[in-house]
Amino acid sequence: MLNAVCLMFALTLGSANALLARLTAVSTLAVGQIRTPRWVDRAFQAILMGITVFFATAWVTADGWTSLAVLVLALWLAAMMLRLAGQWLVGVLTEEQRVRAAIAAIDKPGPHTPRFAFYFSAPDLNRPTHVLMWYQYLLALGIPFVIILREQKHLKAFPDVSDVPVVFVRKAAELNNVLPSGVRTVFYANNGQKNRFMVKNYPDAMHIQLLHGDSDKPPSYSPMSKIYSKLFVAGQMAVDRYAQNGVHIPTERFRVVGRPQVSKIRQTRAKTQVSRRKVAYMPTWRGFFADTQFSSLERALDVVACVQGLKHPAGMLFKPHPMSYKDPLWPSLARQIRQELAKGRPFGSTYFGDETDPFDVYNNADVLITDISSVMIDFLYSGKPYLVIKPAGFGEDDLARFPSMKGGYLVNADLSNLSEQLALALGDDPMHEQRLITRNYAFGDISQPPGAAFRSACLEVLDIAEPCTAAELECA
C-alpha cells in the first residue's frame, strides 16, 4: 500500500510540474533561461503533497467499493485543486517580469539580435496558421526576428528550441517593453483586434500588414487597415478593392509584393485522361455575419454527388476550411461528406484534413470548385479553370465588387447550372483568356519569380541592402 501511495504522489508531482510549466510559459526559450522562482516550485509541490497524503489516507482506511469511490473522488478533486493552486501561483508571479526576462535573453548584442517582429493574435484559431504561412518566407530573408503571440495556446506550435524566438504576452500593458531595442518594424498577418494595442504602443515603428491571403471578402478591405504604416498586397486588384468598397487609403501606403506562397503552385495544365480527372472542392467557412456569408458548405453533399455523377465521373478532392470545424453543423456534415466521397473512391475521390497543404490539392486538381475566398485567388495563379458558387441573392450588379470572379465559371446558388459549367471547364475552357487577364490583375509580380518582390520590399523597409551576387561582384 505504501508503494501505491508513493507512486500516486510521484505521478501527481510529475503532472503538477508539467501543469505549472504550461501555465507559466512565456516563450520558447530554454527552461534555464526563463523559469518560475524556486520558491514557487516548492510551494506548488507542498500543496500537492498535502493533497496526495490526504486522499491516500482516506483510500487506505476505506475498503471495497468505498475505496474505489474514494479514489475516483480523489482524482477529480485533486485535478480541480491542482488547477486552482496553479492559477493562484501564476497570479503571484509578475508576468511582466517574466516577459522582460525573455526579451532580455533575446536582446543581446550579436548576429542573432532581432531586427523586426511578427505580431499575432487570433483567439478563434487553435493553431497560429497565419504565422506559419509566412514563417519560411520571413526566415528566408536571413534576418533575425522575434514572434510575439497574444494567445498562450499558440506557443505549442513552436518547438522549445527554434530558429526564431517566440514570446507570449498575455496583457496589453506588458507590450510596453516587448520589442527588442533594435526592432523598428512589426509585421501582422490579420486584422485581430489586439493589433491596435501594438500599433498604439509603438507609434514610431513601421507597422506592416501582410494578411493571410487575398480575397474579395470584407477582411481584405477592412477599415482597420488604415492603422498600419504599409499594406503589402498581392496585386493591383487588392489596391483597387479598398477604394471600390469605400475604404480610402493613400496609394503610397500600398506595396505590391505578389504572394510568395504561390511558389508551390505549378503553372501547367497537362492534358489529363478523362478517366483520371480530378476536381477539387474547397468551400470557405460559414461566416459569423451576413456580409461574410459566402459558404456553400451546407450544399457540399450536392456538389460532391454532382461531380461523381457526371457521364464521365471525376475524382473529388475535398478539403474544408479549418474554421469549419467550429461550425455546429460540421460533425454531421463531415460524416455525410465522407460517406458520399466513399462512393467515388474508384475515381480517386479523397478527403483531406489539416495535415494536407492546400497547395498540394491545387497541384493535383484539373479544376477547382470554391466560394468567394482566398482559395480562388491562390488557385488562379495556376492558370487552371475554377468554378465559383455564387452566394444566395448574388446579382449581376454585384460582380463589380468581386473582381476575382471574372475569370471563373459562375455557378448559381442553387447549383442548377453546376453540371453545365463543369463541362465547360473540363472541356474547351472558353474562359481561358479572361482568366489570364484576371490573374495578371491579381498578381502584380507575375513576371518575376514568386517571392522576389516580397523579399525586395522587406529588405527595403528594413533598410538592408541585398547582397551582391558573384557575377555582380566580377562586373564591378
Side-chain angles (χ1 to χ4, degrees):
M1 185 60 70
L2 179 61
N3 289 339
V5 172
C6 291
L7 178 60
M8 181 189 292
F9 176 69
L11 292 174
T12 309
L13 184 58
S15 62
N17 287 336
L19 175 63
L20 183 62
R22 181 173 62 82
L23 288 172
T24 59
V26 296
S27 75
T28 55
L29 296 178
V31 175
Q33 293 174 278
I34 298 293
R35 59 165 299 158
T36 56
R38 184 167 296 178
W39 72 266
V40 173
D41 290 339
R42 289 178 176 174
F44 200 61
Q45 292 171 7
I47 291 171
L48 281 219
M49 183 180 292
I51 293 173
T52 305
V53 170
F54 175 80
F55 286 115
T57 303
W59 187 25
V60 170
T61 55
D63 57 5
W65 288 106
T66 305
S67 176
L68 179 61
V70 168
L71 178 60
V72 172
L73 179 63
L75 292 174
W76 183 79
L77 287 176
M80 295 300 101
M81 294 177 72
L82 271 174
R83 186 161 189 83
L84 289 173
Q87 290 174 343
W88 176 76
L89 287 170
V90 170
V92 170
L93 297 175
T94 304
E95 197 161 282
E96 184 177 358
Q97 292 178 343
R98 290 187 286 115
V99 172
R100 284 183 178 180
I103 294 299
I106 295 167
D107 195 16
K108 293 179 179 178
H112 301 294
T113 304
R115 295 289 303 276
F116 66 92
F118 192 121
Y119 177 97
F120 182 69
S121 171
D124 293 330
L125 292 180
N126 291 327
R127 299 182 71 247
T129 51
H130 302 163
V131 179
L132 301 176
M133 174 186 293
W134 288 100
Y135 184 84
Q136 71 180 87
Y137 304 101
L138 293 173
L139 198 63
L141 295 175
I143 303 167
F145 66 101
V146 59
I147 295 172
I148 301 168
L149 303 176
R150 295 301 307 278
E151 283 75 45
Q152 192 178 33
K153 62 183 177 182
H154 294 155
L155 269 176
K156 295 185 295 184
F158 299 93
D160 292 336
V161 180
S162 63
D163 295 318
V164 177
V166 184
V167 177
F168 158 63
V169 179
R170 189 188 308 273
K171 301 175 183 177
E174 296 157 10
L175 292 173
N176 293 328
N177 302 291
V178 76
L179 282 190
S181 58
V183 172
R184 293 292 178 270
T185 304
V186 184
F187 289 94
Y188 304 80
N190 65 8
N191 278 311
Q193 291 302 309
K194 292 181 183 178
N195 294 6
R196 298 178 186 272
F197 299 116
M198 193 67 176
V199 174
K200 182 180 178 180
N201 279 18
Y202 296 93
D204 296 329
M206 174 80 73
H207 299 277
I208 302 174
Q209 177 60 265
L210 303 174
L211 288 181
H212 52 277
D214 187 37
S215 79
D216 293 330
K217 294 167 72 173
S220 288
Y221 52 84
S222 168
M224 187 176 169
S225 300
K226 293 180 178 182
I227 71 173
Y228 305 104
S229 314
K230 292 281 185 183
L231 300 174
F232 280 14
V233 296
Q236 191 61 38
M237 180 188 289
V239 177
D240 295 342
R241 187 184 294 121
Y242 281 92
Q244 289 166 355
N245 288 278
V247 182
H248 299 287
I249 297 174
T251 306
E252 60 269 18
R253 285 169 60 185
F254 288 98
R255 180 68 180 264
V256 173
V257 299
R259 196 150 146 66
Q261 291 81 1
V262 298
S263 61
K264 302 177 184 177
I265 298 177
R266 292 193 295 268
Q267 280 190 287
T268 56
R269 188 194 178 195
K271 289 293 183 181
T272 307
Q273 293 181 18
V274 171
S275 61
R276 295 183 180 179
R277 292 181 304 187
K278 299 290 187 296
V279 175
Y281 176 40
M282 300 174 67
T284 191
W285 63 294
R286 300 199 306 161
F288 295 128
F289 308 103
D291 66 345
T292 56
Q293 179 52 273
F294 299 111
S295 180
S296 60
L297 186 60
E298 71 277 5
R299 287 157 282 167
L301 284 175
D302 294 329
V303 175
V304 175
C306 176
V307 173
Q308 296 184 160
L310 294 172
K311 182 179 180 181
H312 298 290
M316 170 63 82
L317 309 179
F318 179 84
K319 181 172 173 59
H321 189 287
M323 286 293 286
S324 294
Y325 305 142
K326 294 180 176 290
D327 193 312
L329 296 179
W330 177 246
S332 174
L333 271 174
R335 182 175 62 256
Q336 296 176 64
I337 290 169
R338 287 177 183 273
Q339 290 173 352
E340 191 65 34
L341 287 170
K343 301 175 184 178
R345 281 178 187 160
F347 319 119
S349 292
T350 310
Y351 177 98
F352 295 102
D354 271 354
E355 70 283 354
T356 302
D357 190 321
F359 295 99
D360 291 335
V361 181
Y362 301 156
N363 288 333
N364 285 307
D366 296 290
V367 174
L368 169 72
I369 300 175
T370 188
D371 307 313
I372 297 171
S373 68
S374 61
V375 164
M376 175 169 52
I377 294 184
D378 279 350
F379 189 82
L380 175 60
Y381 185 83
S382 72
K384 294 185 285 190
Y386 60 94
L387 282 69
V388 189
I389 300 176
K390 296 187 289 188
F394 189 93
E396 290 300 319
D397 294 340
D398 295 315
L399 194 58
R401 296 191 298 114
F402 301 94
S404 59
M405 297 177 70
K406 292 180 180 178
Y409 295 88
L410 306 187
V411 177
N412 297 329
D414 62 2
L415 308 180
S416 57
N417 65 337
L418 175 57
S419 297
E420 175 189 341
Q421 296 292 64
L422 193 54
L424 290 173
L426 288 169
D428 295 336
D429 188 19
M431 292 294 294
H432 177 71
E433 292 302 323
Q434 177 59 48
R435 189 166 58 250
L436 296 185
I437 293 172
T438 306
R439 182 179 68 178
N440 293 345
Y441 183 38
F443 296 96
D445 66 336
I446 199 72
S447 62
Q448 303 178 55
F454 174 73
R455 177 181 176 84
S456 296
C458 288
L459 295 179
E460 183 179 313
V461 297
L462 293 169
D463 196 22
I464 296 173
E466 180 76 76
C468 294
T469 64
E472 290 172 335
L473 289 173
E474 288 180 6
C475 292

